[in-house]
Amino acid sequence: MNFDERWQAHHSGVAVDRNIWVKGWLKVIVTRAKVLAKLKVAPSFLTFVGLIFAGLTIWVSSFGLSRSGLVVSAFLVFASSYFDGLDGAVAILRDRVSNFGSKLDRAADRLTEIAWVIMLALFGCPAWLAIAALLTT
C-alpha cells in the first residue's frame, strides 16, 4: 500500500487523487514528514506542538483586535494545521499508526477547533458565527 492509500484509509476514504487541494497539501506535508520520520520524531510530539500553536491563538487574540494580532493569529492557525497534517503523515511513514494516536489526534483536533472559536470571539466575531465555524469543521 502506498502513502496515499494508507492516508485515505485513516481519513474516511477521502480520495487523494480526486481532490486537488488534498493532493497538494499532502505533497507539501509528506516532503517534510519524510525528514521528521528519518529523525524518528514521535507523531504525538507533533500533535502537541500543533495544539500549542492553537492555544497561542487565544493568547494573541486576548490582546484585542489589531492588524499584527490578526497576522500572528493567521500564522498560528496555519502552523497548528500544518502540524496536524505532519503528525499523521509521520505516523504513517514510520508505521506508528495506533488507536491511541488516532484518539489523541481527534482530541487535539477538537481542542484546536475550540481554541479557534475562542480566538474568533476574542477578536469580536459574533458568537453565532464563531459557533457556526466550529460546527462546519
Side-chain angles (χ1 to χ4, degrees):
M1 214 189 260
N2 68 26
F3 177 86
D4 288 355
E5 293 167 335
R6 290 172 26 200
W7 186 90
Q8 282 176 199
H10 295 288
H11 292 86
S12 304
V14 173
V16 174
D17 57 340
R18 292 187 186 149
N19 189 319
I20 191 168
W21 300 108
V22 172
K23 188 173 188 131
W25 175 251
L26 285 178
K27 187 174 182 178
V28 170
I29 291 294
V30 170
T31 303
R32 276 77 177 174
K34 285 179 180 178
V35 173
L36 295 170
K38 284 183 184 178
L39 294 172
K40 299 186 189 296
V41 174
S44 57
F45 172 76
L46 299 170
T47 302
F48 286 116
V49 171
L51 197 52
I52 289 168
F53 280 123
L56 285 172
T57 64
I58 297 171
W59 180 70
V60 169
S61 61
S62 71
F63 293 106
L65 186 60
S66 69
R67 182 173 293 184
S68 60
L70 288 171
V71 170
V72 171
S73 290
F75 168 78
L76 292 169
V77 166
F78 173 80
S80 63
S81 298
Y82 185 75
F83 276 88
D84 181 42
L86 278 176
D87 64 358
V90 169
I92 290 170
L93 291 170
R94 291 192 60 203
D95 289 323
R96 299 228 5 227
V97 175
S98 68
N99 189 37
F100 171 77
S102 294
K103 288 179 181 176
L104 178 65
D105 185 60
R106 281 193 300 267
D109 288 348
R110 297 305 76 80
L111 291 170
T112 295
E113 291 161 358
I114 291 167
W116 292 349
V117 167
I118 293 169
M119 172 200 66
L120 289 171
L122 288 171
F123 275 140
C125 178
W128 68 268
L129 186 56
I131 292 169
L134 174 66
L135 295 175
T136 61
T137 60

